[in-house]
Amino acid sequence: MTRTTTTPVELKVLMNHIYELHKGVRHMVLFTCNKKYSEQTIQRLESQGIPYLLQPAGRQNQNIYFGRRECLEAIRLIVTRPLNELTPEEDFILGAMLGYDICAQCERYCKRKQRKCGCDGTCDGHCINKN
């Protein structure tokens, strides 16, 4: 009798992130998973000597940052509260560090700043005309 085990999708995503980290595609990863996979994730990272930081993400989930030590040191200073409470500047820096599309990060930053100041995009001298 052959016994097959299936790997949960979340752990397949983790393995892909680790692969990209080793290949230099990424310097840092934010992996959000159900807490039931946290221990397996931590074991995998520790077995490969990959530094990581943990952050609760609600009742069911865990944020696990991993990658280059210098990036994690910056994360330790920037991400001191839940992600939805970050300032627009902190959110922008985090996205840039994670390698997210920089133009999308700029757009996200501007939208978050406008929401904060009440700007509807029509303020004099502060907005750029779209072509």
Side-chain angles (χ1 to χ4, degrees), residues 14-126:
L14 170 68
M15 290 184 273
N16 186 66
H17 285 320
I18 291 171
Y19 173 82
E20 290 179 346
L21 185 71
H22 286 312
K23 291 294 182 183
V25 175
R26 299 175 182 270
H27 298 294
M28 190 180 73
V29 174
L30 167 55
F31 177 64
T32 303
C33 66
N34 188 295
K35 286 181 180 177
K36 67 183 174 183
Y37 300 119
S38 292
E39 190 58 39
Q40 287 174 278
T41 299
I42 291 166
Q43 287 174 356
R44 172 79 52 150
L45 294 172
E46 287 180 350
S47 73
Q48 295 192 30
I50 300 171
Y52 63 90
L53 289 172
L54 303 174
Q55 178 190 43
R59 293 183 194 158
Q60 303 275 328
N61 294 324
Q62 179 85 40
N63 283 337
I64 303 173
Y65 297 88
F66 62 91
R68 301 275 303 264
R69 199 168 299 282
E70 57 268 34
C71 295
L72 294 175
E73 288 302 320
I75 289 300
R76 190 184 317 272
L77 297 171
I78 295 168
V79 184
T80 58
R81 58 196 170 282
L83 296 179
N84 65 331
E85 295 178 14
L86 295 180
T87 66
E89 291 79 12
E90 291 166 333
D91 180 81
F92 180 85
I93 292 167
L94 176 61
M97 289 177 69
L98 290 167
Y100 297 168
D101 177 273
I102 200 67
C103 291
Q105 282 304 112
C106 290
E107 194 172 296
R108 177 178 167 88
Y109 172 74
C110 291
K111 284 180 184 173
R112 291 190 73 206
K113 284 299 275 191
Q114 288 170 352
R115 243 185 293 142
K116 212 166 194 175
C117 74
C119 174
D120 62 0
T122 60
C123 55
D124 271 353
H126 295 103

